[in-house]
Amino acid sequence: PGGYDQNQDLDTPNASDGVGRALFAVNVASGNLVPSFNINAVSDPSLGMSHSIVDSTALDHDGDGFHSRVYAGDLGGNLFALRDDEMVTYAECSISLNIVDGVGSKKKLFDASYDDNIQRKILYAPDAVAEHYGEMIFFGTGDRSDPGETGVVNRFYAVKNDWASTATLTESNLVDVTGDKIQLGNDTDKAGVKALLETENGWYIKLQNPGENVRSP
């Protein structure tokens, strides 16, 4: 991760950070940066990297011993996804495999601050779970630098990533399950919510106590 910008310690932080807006991969044998896996606000302006990144997580999505997926959130509520694998089909045996080849692709998967224009900070690495469609990403928002802040209603998210779309998801693409819609209501309600969760891009819970945060992994 690029690191922390002390801009975030101000009572009213600037709209964007000046440092830390980056995620790097390093070849441990040579010490060189891996060009295809490095993203930063200067070289990748289309990603909209506006805030510093302080933590990340890697996932071996297919259990082959190689960490081929990387997820990282920034202090503006953006979640970035990177991958280093491509599908290769061997004609001789008609077998298709994901091959880690050192060529990465990336996208901004989610923006937690877009719909209501309220900054929600992702301070800790998300958790990624392999699914048949790709991955489900779990993470929460909070502000460790201002533990007494009560004006932001933070969230806990579960966001699907099928790698098929390059569009950035927002809360409007998720199901709000704050009201415990799965356990309450009649069987028809439960079936409807279950079907909705299977077809939509994930879900989220609003943290309902004033000042409530997700501030540890």
Side-chain angles (χ1 to χ4, degrees):
Y4 186 80
D5 190 330
Q6 291 182 336
N7 169 56
Q8 295 298 324
D9 294 335
L10 300 175
D11 289 338
T12 304
N14 296 322
S16 63
D17 292 331
V19 298
R21 299 182 296 168
L23 190 67
F24 302 110
V26 179
N27 184 320
V28 295
S30 67
N32 296 324
L33 295 177
V34 182
S36 61
F37 246 107
N38 297 316
I39 60 174
N40 62 76
V42 176
S43 63
D44 294 280
S46 63
L47 287 176
M49 302 181 75
S50 56
H51 292 80
S52 54
I53 298 175
V54 297
D55 208 351
S56 62
T57 191
L59 173 71
D60 175 8
H61 78 287
D62 56 4
D64 65 355
F66 294 94
H67 287 81
S68 46
R69 308 285 167 86
V70 176
Y71 290 93
D74 72 10
L75 300 189
N78 302 301
L79 182 69
F80 299 95
L82 300 90
R83 65 184 295 182
D84 179 16
D85 60 277
E86 62 176 347
M87 186 64 69
V88 176
T89 300
Y90 297 91
E92 296 83 359
C93 54
S94 299
I95 293 177
S96 297
L97 296 173
N98 282 317
I99 304 299
V100 175
D101 60 359
V103 178
S105 61
K106 57 259 187 177
K107 66 178 179 177
K108 181 159 71 172
L109 174 63
F110 184 74
D111 185 345
S113 305
Y114 178 83
D115 289 320
D116 56 9
N117 199 32
I118 294 177
Q119 181 181 349
R120 297 184 177 89
K121 301 181 181 183
I122 305 173
L123 274 161
Y124 292 98
D127 195 8
V129 179
E131 297 284 358
H132 64 89
Y133 50 76
E135 291 89 47
M136 179 71 88
I137 318 304
F138 300 93
F139 61 98
T141 65
D143 190 356
R144 189 176 66 183
S145 64
D146 188 6
E149 198 281 327
T150 60
V152 176
V153 179
N154 285 291
R155 317 284 206 249
F156 186 84
Y157 295 99
V159 180
K160 292 181 181 179
N161 182 19
D162 62 7
W163 293 104
S165 172
T166 59
T168 300
L169 301 172
T170 70
E171 280 191 6
S172 63
N173 302 117
L174 309 183
V175 181
D176 182 356
V177 296
T178 306
D180 198 6
K181 296 177 182 177
I182 296 176
Q183 297 184 42
L184 299 178
N186 55 41
D187 289 341
T188 301
D189 295 333
K190 294 177 184 178
V193 172
K194 181 175 182 293
L196 191 61
L197 291 172
E198 290 176 347
T199 57
E200 295 300 315
N201 292 293
W203 50 265
Y204 67 95
I205 296 172
K206 298 176 183 176
L207 306 185
Q208 295 180 294
N209 296 315
E212 195 170 5
N213 284 256
V214 177
R215 288 193 277 132
S216 62

